[in-house]
Amino acid sequence: MQAQEALTMKTQDPRTIYLKDYRQPDFWVDHLDLTVRIFDDYTELSSILSLRKNSDVKGREVVLHGVDQDIQQLMLDGVELTKEHYRQEGEVLSFECANDKAEFKACTRIYPEKNTSLEGLYQSGSMYCTQCEAEGFRKITFFPDRPDVMATFRTRIEADKERFPVLLSNGNPVDKGELDGGRHYAVWDDPFVKPSYLFALVAGKLSEKSSQFTTASGRDVALKIFVEPQNAHKVDFALESLKKSMKWDEDVYGREYDLDLFMIVASDFFNMGAMENKGLNVFNSAVVLATPDTTTDDRFESIEAIVAHEYFHNWSGNRVTCRDWFQLSLKEGFTVFRDSEFTADMHDRAVKRIEDVAMLRAAQFPEDNGPMAHPVRPDSYIEINNFYTATVYEKGAEVVRMIHTLLGADEFRKGSDLYFERFDGQAVTTDDFVACMEEVSGQDLSQFKRWYSQAGTPRIDVTEKWLENEGEYQLIFRQHCPPTPGQTEKQPFVIPVKLGLLNEQGEECQINTDADYNAKTQVLTLRDENTVARFQKLNSKPVPSLLRDFSAPVKLRFDYSNEALAFLAQNDTNGFNRWDAAQQLYLKAILSMANSKQLGKSMKVPAAVLDTVAAIAGDVTLSHAKRAAMLAMPGYPILKDAVDEIHIESLIAARKQLLSTVSRQFRDLWRSLTESLSSDAAYRFDAAESGRRKLQGLCLRYWLNAGDQSAFEHAAELYRRATNQTDRVNALRAILDGDDQALQSSLLEHFYDNWKTDTQMVEQWFSLQTSGQGIKASRVRELMQHEAFDLRNPNKVRSVVLTFAHNAQAFHDSEGQGYRLLAETIAELNTLNPQVAARMVNVLADWKRFAEPVRSRLEDALKQVLATPELSQDVFEMAERALKG
Ligand code: B3K
Ligand code: ZN
């Protein structure tokens, strides 16, 4: 079947899949013997499935999935299956099978060189690679492409030796040799059962770098990274990150790697970050290739985290996998929690928590607060690829973190041990995970599980009462969760609220309470809609420090005065809450300034904000990284999420005004900080050095924003002298925010001329421009015509179009030009790469929350998307959900 036909069929029949309909298959597959013969214009597949009747169910129907398969021959136990023996409907091919054990063989052809969806087997530059999660294996061969069918795989790859000297698949290499006509073969055997979504195959002319890791039990594991030859110098950091991850998982979870070989491949064409295929992780080049000269500190950190994340999946995802795709957070939430703890252990725990929470608030809270809201364990979907969301990943990780908080580290470890031991080699559910945690701790988590089934971010309104004569302080908590699509009524959540009380000197008060409060962990657990916590024996009215370390993914509101927030920002003993108090203070200021702007009044920055900025900037007891985090103003996703109706111009004006006041007021401070933070030392990526560079970059931006000519000169000099990418990007960002267009053009030109052969640098060159304040939709269109742009390459699309769409100031500043550009790009990508196209619809999802005229313009853009001919089910589902609101 041709690709076009398949797409059309999918949209005409966008079928909803429900969790409640889950049934085990009638047949399991014990083993798959796969032969893949790569030729120039097509690839030939021959697969042999060892079928075994599932004795727990009655039926006898073998249900296989296959998309875009050119069928040559199908056989069951040596007898050809002709059309009258099987049914084929959409992606499903099915037939009755009378025997309890049977062998099904399929000979098919596929066309990887025409596969622009980057799902299944496809061409990426000069190599071939695969992406099977969630349902890509069906684009390779016929198989029950569902995660609960777990089989051992043996894969033989044949290809031209000159074009594809390296042939890789999962497991261990067991055979290789020469074939006629300049061809060769390799055979791979994976002894661990796995679902089809973990299958991988790579063929190409790749350079290899090896290293080695000895496990705790003394087994030697070979580590290999394969990249296209021009990237051979960019692999060391990923290799080191991998070793750190392997060691950490042994130390913290007692989990060793299980095969003798672990491989990573870098691919330039990749729909997302990376993929945890058993023994053969495939990475987007952008999140694995690194050198100081081409990679920023932030990117180094995310590369380390993603290498760890994919490695950790070997246990949380591969050895124990998901029963069905509704359980996606079982592996993703848990693994994000694991990688986040890893980064916290490797660098600075409080800073990592701040980064995670900032990201949750910017990406997940808005999702929960709009038409895309869905539970961590969704009840239904049309296209599963649309559910790789911040809710499933990041909120899912917060849910696991809350279990960790409620049980404590020791019990949590016992629970995870039990989980891995009991379910090794199985496909299970989030309920199974929670049951292990209940079993080891004796805690009843049935109410807690509402976090998996109820969507929406709970609000907690907290008020206080001070009974002076009794020396009693009361905190009154009221929780409620707003309705979300399909869920109008919500039951109360179990919410761990870590808290402390501070006296006027900023010291912790002794806590005496009969509330459900754990003195050791400082956690008060809320279970009901209303909770009153009484704190006794206090000498004076305390200041509460609430939701420390962001102990639950909620929106907590307490009516702090500006002065109280300034006090907490400077005195709280909890590092996270110092940051959070500063953020709340800035947020309040921007919102009230935006309000003034709308009422036509003048905007004034409150004194408490300026005092706090000065105090933090000069607080040498804080690390550079913390100071940088505390001096950064909340971004647009946070501002938009905080208002009932978005008046985007007022928000932009208010934020600009705040930045400009802070910049001008402390111009000399920013200058002296920028200068004193400069360093000529050789580049090191560690918490101290990256913190220094972060603060330096921020101070430079403020200084430059104050309009000081010497700041431009300093930035240009920093750019010219930079020996690492962080300094270079810090300088460029600052300059691009300013209005010296001649300088901007000359540096951008210089950057491109210097780095045009380096793919990662070109991607950054694009996104530096599209994230700049002054960029116009027309310029984005020009960039889309640039020789380095390629609509088929998701990294290029993201760095040009998506970065622009997330640049609120620029995206909303063009009478809908930006919206039209986005809608047109989605429509064009709809046929080429439905997955990437669908993700872009998210940008338009909050249209209903905007004030006119933006609202109607965004709505028009969405309608324009929905009117696209031959709409893929991916885009259809997203646009339809967004429009319904
Ligand atoms: N499991 C993959 C994501 C696959 C996305 C498919 N649309 C990467 C990860 O989360 O580790
Ligand atoms: Zn993952």
Side-chain angles (χ1 to χ4, degrees):
M1 192 192 302
Q2 291 306 301
Q4 204 49 57
E5 246 174 82
L7 272 182
T8 325
M9 275 183 42
K10 272 182 145 190
T11 354
Q12 281 164 357
D13 179 25
R15 199 175 312 157
T16 304
I17 319 278
Y18 295 94
L19 167 60
K20 63 176 168 42
D21 293 340
Y22 172 81
R23 300 283 177 277
Q24 283 190 1
D26 294 355
F27 281 84
W28 302 112
V29 179
D30 286 330
H31 182 73
L32 172 65
D33 203 316
L34 185 65
T35 301
V36 184
R37 297 190 186 88
I38 299 174
F39 296 99
D40 283 352
D41 305 328
Y42 62 95
T43 292
E44 218 171 67
L45 275 293
S46 147
S47 52
I48 303 172
L49 284 64
S50 307
L51 300 167
R52 173 171 51 88
K53 172 81 183 82
N54 176 0
S55 52
D56 294 339
V57 299
K58 278 216 183 89
R60 290 210 150 266
E61 190 180 26
V62 176
V63 177
L64 307 174
H65 302 99
V67 177
D68 300 344
Q69 300 286 320
D70 230 343
I71 299 176
Q72 311 285 311
Q73 192 180 42
L74 305 178
M75 314 249 276
L76 186 63
D77 283 330
V79 179
E80 176 153 9
L81 277 181
T82 52
K83 287 217 162 130
E84 51 275 18
H85 297 111
Y86 65 84
R87 287 170 296 282
Q88 207 175 359
E89 219 190 312
E91 304 190 344
V92 170
L93 183 144
S94 58
F95 53 87
E96 296 294 311
C97 179
N99 298 334
D100 286 353
K101 287 210 164 194
E103 201 179 84
F104 170 78
K105 185 169 178 194
C107 296
T108 53
R109 276 186 183 188
I110 56 174
Y111 305 91
E113 47 292 319
K114 294 195 188 126
N115 180 356
T116 58
S117 72
L118 313 188
E119 216 191 15
L121 179 65
Y122 64 91
Q123 205 175 338
S124 167
S126 64
M127 69 196 222
Y128 274 38
C129 71
T130 53
Q131 170 54 38
C132 292
E133 186 175 359
E135 298 180 333
F137 194 67
R138 62 190 62 186
K139 291 189 166 182
I140 297 176
T141 189
F142 284 107
F143 197 80
D145 193 13
R146 42 186 288 169
D148 56 348
V149 174
M150 299 176 82
T152 52
F153 283 57
R154 191 177 174 91
T155 307
R156 178 186 165 100
I157 313 164
E158 299 179 8
D160 183 76
K161 192 168 180 180
E162 169 71 25
R163 218 180 133 196
F164 303 107
V166 174
L167 304 174
L168 310 173
S169 191
N170 316 87
N172 301 310
V174 290
D175 191 13
K176 62 177 180 192
E178 309 290 319
L179 296 167
D180 290 345
R183 292 170 66 79
H184 70 149
Y185 73 91
V187 181
W188 291 83
D189 186 79
D190 186 358
F192 290 95
V193 291
K194 67 165 176 287
S196 50
Y197 82 83
L198 290 173
F199 172 80
L201 180 157
V202 170
K205 199 176 258 180
L206 302 172
S207 82
E208 168 186 336
K209 170 113 190 215
S210 306
S211 191
Q212 189 258 336
F213 180 81
T214 307
T215 68
S217 68
R219 247 175 356 89
D220 286 343
V221 179
L223 313 176
K224 295 181 187 228
I225 300 201
F226 295 87
V227 298
E228 291 182 270
Q230 72 274 18
N231 296 321
H233 62 295
K234 289 190 169 189
V235 301
D236 291 343
F237 182 75
L239 262 182
E240 288 314 305
S241 304
L242 176 59
K243 288 183 213 166
K244 285 186 192 160
S245 319
M246 296 176 89
K247 175 80 170 67
W248 187 89
D249 213 16
E250 291 181 346
D251 292 346
V252 181
Y253 281 86
R255 297 289 124 193
E256 272 191 24
Y257 185 60
D258 45 14
L259 288 161
D260 300 333
L261 173 62
F262 187 90
M263 298 175 285
I264 288 178
V265 175
S267 157
D268 280 353
F269 286 68
F270 211 66
N271 280 347
M272 64 296 163
M275 180 63 211
E276 70 264 25
N277 317 301
K278 181 78 186 188
L280 178 55
N281 287 189
V282 179
F283 274 67
N284 185 326
S285 300
V287 294
V288 66
L289 301 176
T291 63
D293 206 20
T294 57
T295 310
T296 60
D297 292 333
D298 288 347
R299 188 47 66 97
F300 269 112
E301 186 178 312
S302 62
I303 290 175
E304 186 181 71
I306 296 172
V307 168
H309 179 100
E310 306 312 331
Y311 173 73
F312 296 156
H313 268 316
N314 191 54
W315 276 96
S316 49
N318 300 5
R319 288 284 287 259
V320 183
T321 193
C322 302
R323 186 192 72 175
D324 52 72
W325 290 120
F326 298 101
Q327 319 297 330
L328 183 56
S329 196
L330 173 78
K331 73 177 178 83
E332 296 305 347
F334 188 19
T335 306
V336 170
F337 171 69
R338 275 150 60 68
D339 84 55
S340 159
E341 284 294 292
F342 165 76
T343 302
D345 284 347
M346 294 297 122
H347 302 284
D348 179 322
R349 178 161 288 272
V351 171
K352 173 61 177 161
R353 192 65 191 133
I354 289 168
E355 288 166 2
D356 282 353
V357 173
M359 137 89 148
L360 188 85
R361 284 180 174 157
Q364 199 279 326
F365 279 15
E367 190 165 273
D368 245 350
N369 191 18
M372 300 302 187
H374 56 276
V376 168
R377 186 193 55 214
D379 307 308
S380 69
Y381 60 77
I382 292 180
E383 172 52 61
I384 184 56
N385 283 321
N386 289 333
F387 284 82
Y388 286 75
T389 59
T391 299
V392 167
Y393 274 65
E394 273 73 32
K395 186 176 181 181
E398 292 299 322
V399 172
V400 175
R401 181 177 294 280
M402 285 190 287
I403 298 179
H404 189 276
T405 302
L406 293 169
L407 267 62
D410 293 345
E411 304 267 274
F412 184 87
R413 168 66 196 269
K414 282 186 205 150
S416 73
D417 283 352
L418 177 64
Y419 169 74
F420 289 132
E421 274 146 35
R422 179 172 292 168
F423 298 119
D424 190 6
Q426 294 181 46
V428 301
T429 63
T430 54
D431 282 343
D432 292 325
F433 178 80
V434 177
C436 290
M437 296 296 168
E438 288 185 306
E439 200 171 314
V440 295
S441 67
Q443 288 195 35
D444 176 357
L445 296 173
S446 41
Q447 184 192 347
F448 179 85
K449 286 203 288 189
R450 287 176 189 156
W451 282 106
Y452 286 98
S453 56
Q454 297 189 140
T457 305
R459 314 288 203 259
I460 309 181
D461 289 309
V462 189
T463 50
E464 63 179 356
K465 211 182 249 178
W466 171 234
L467 309 176
E468 174 126 42
N469 296 338
E470 287 85 7
E472 179 177 302
Y473 180 70
Q474 297 181 358
L475 285 172
I476 300 113
F477 296 83
R478 180 174 174 272
Q479 63 158 301
H480 77 108
C481 184
T484 47
Q487 293 186 339
T488 42
E489 296 294 320
K490 313 281 167 111
Q491 303 297 313
F493 291 85
V494 175
I495 303 177
V497 180
K498 182 169 173 179
L499 64 85
L501 303 177
L502 297 172
N503 68 18
E504 284 137 30
Q505 286 74 47
E507 297 154 346
E508 292 284 324
C509 302
Q510 174 74 39
I511 301 265
N512 299 290
T513 181
D514 52 11
D516 184 353
Y517 180 82
N518 181 328
K520 210 172 110 208
T521 60
Q522 300 188 320
V523 170
L524 171 81
T525 305
L526 311 180
R527 295 173 199 279
D528 304 315
E529 200 179 316
N530 296 295
T531 306
V532 182
R534 298 182 167 80
F535 303 92
Q536 278 106 5
K537 298 191 204 154
L538 291 160
N539 299 326
S540 57
K541 185 181 169 204
V543 179
S545 165
L546 302 166
L547 205 67
R548 285 181 161 175
D549 297 329
F550 201 70
S551 56
V554 299
K555 289 181 176 167
L556 185 141
R557 280 183 297 215
F558 180 85
D559 193 14
Y560 287 112
S561 65
N562 282 347
E563 290 64 35
L565 288 172
F567 171 81
L568 287 170
Q570 290 166 59
N571 296 294
D572 201 329
T573 58
N574 186 270
F576 174 85
N577 271 29
R578 282 188 70 176
W579 170 80
D580 203 23
Q583 293 301 306
Q584 284 185 52
L585 178 61
Y586 306 150
L587 176 64
K588 259 180 86 171
I590 297 173
L591 296 183
S592 102
M593 288 160 72
N595 211 23
S596 305
K597 162 97 186 159
Q598 250 167 271
L599 299 172
K601 296 194 203 149
S602 74
M603 296 189 282
K604 250 192 81 117
V605 178
V609 169
L610 299 173
D611 294 347
T612 302
V613 167
I616 293 165
D619 186 343
V620 290
T621 65
L622 285 170
S623 70
H624 291 144
K626 279 207 193 96
R627 269 197 267 173
M630 290 183 73
L631 291 170
M633 301 297 150
Y636 291 103
I638 307 277
L639 304 182
K640 281 157 63 188
D641 198 46
V643 295
D644 292 330
E645 186 172 54
I646 304 168
H647 293 267
I648 193 72
E649 315 82 54
S650 312
L651 290 177
I652 291 171
R655 189 172 187 276
K656 270 191 175 164
Q657 170 87 15
L658 175 63
L659 287 175
S660 132
T661 308
V662 165
S663 301
R664 285 164 201 276
Q665 181 100 1
F666 304 113
R667 191 183 64 189
D668 295 341
L669 177 64
W670 303 130
R671 189 192 52 229
S672 71
L673 274 171
T674 308
E675 285 169 354
S676 70
L677 288 163
S678 300
S679 159
D680 284 329
Y683 180 85
R684 263 200 347 259
F685 172 68
D686 58 27
E689 276 294 277
S690 64
R692 177 184 64 73
R693 284 184 290 266
K694 182 150 273 170
L695 185 57
Q696 185 198 12
L698 185 79
C699 293
L700 175 63
R701 275 178 103 161
Y702 279 133
W703 179 22
L704 208 133
N705 194 36
D708 199 340
Q709 186 50 37
S710 58
F712 280 93
E713 282 151 25
H714 184 97
E717 187 59 17
L718 180 66
Y719 172 84
R720 286 191 199 101
R721 292 187 47 210
T723 55
N724 66 74
Q725 178 69 345
T726 310
D727 285 345
R728 195 176 287 125
V729 165
N730 279 344
L732 263 180
R733 272 196 197 299
I735 290 168
L736 289 172
D737 279 350
D739 44 22
D740 187 338
Q741 283 177 11
L743 181 62
Q744 292 175 357
S745 313
S746 86
L747 295 188
L748 284 170
E749 204 172 307
H750 172 270
F751 188 114
Y752 186 73
D753 281 348
N754 244 293
W755 298 102
K756 61 177 162 221
T757 58
D758 184 303
T759 306
Q760 286 72 51
M761 289 298 266
V762 172
E763 286 164 11
Q764 293 176 75
W765 180 78
F766 276 131
S767 57
L768 274 163
Q769 296 176 71
T770 50
S771 61
Q773 289 190 11
I775 181 109
K776 299 263 180 292
S778 52
R779 173 68 186 146
V780 180
R781 283 187 194 273
E782 276 169 33
L783 288 175
M784 291 176 77
Q785 300 303 320
H786 192 274
E787 57 172 9
F789 185 81
D790 178 0
L791 195 63
R792 285 161 200 254
N793 185 309
N795 286 2
K796 297 277 165 56
V797 174
R798 281 185 281 258
S799 57
V800 176
V801 188
L802 205 56
T803 304
F804 169 67
H806 281 133
N807 176 355
Q809 231 160 289
F811 185 59
H812 294 293
D813 169 46
S814 42
E815 306 201 320
Q817 304 266 14
Y819 313 153
R820 274 195 293 282
L821 169 66
L822 181 72
E824 283 165 27
T825 311
I826 295 172
E828 216 176 325
L829 266 174
N830 169 61
T831 4
L832 287 173
N833 188 331
Q835 235 181 85
V836 171
R839 293 220 134 212
M840 296 173 76
V841 178
N842 264 323
V843 179
L844 302 166
D846 58 4
W847 65 278
K848 257 195 183 165
R849 305 191 55 250
F850 281 81
E852 292 292 6
V854 174
R855 180 186 163 134
S856 297
R857 288 184 189 146
L858 288 169
E859 185 182 9
D860 288 347
L862 260 178
K863 287 186 173 155
Q864 191 183 332
V865 169
L866 264 176
T868 307
E870 312 225 28
L871 200 59
S872 65
Q873 70 172 8
D874 307 60
V875 177
F876 168 79
E877 179 179 33
M878 295 294 280
E880 169 96 340
R881 273 162 75 201
L883 199 63
K884 271 198 211 148

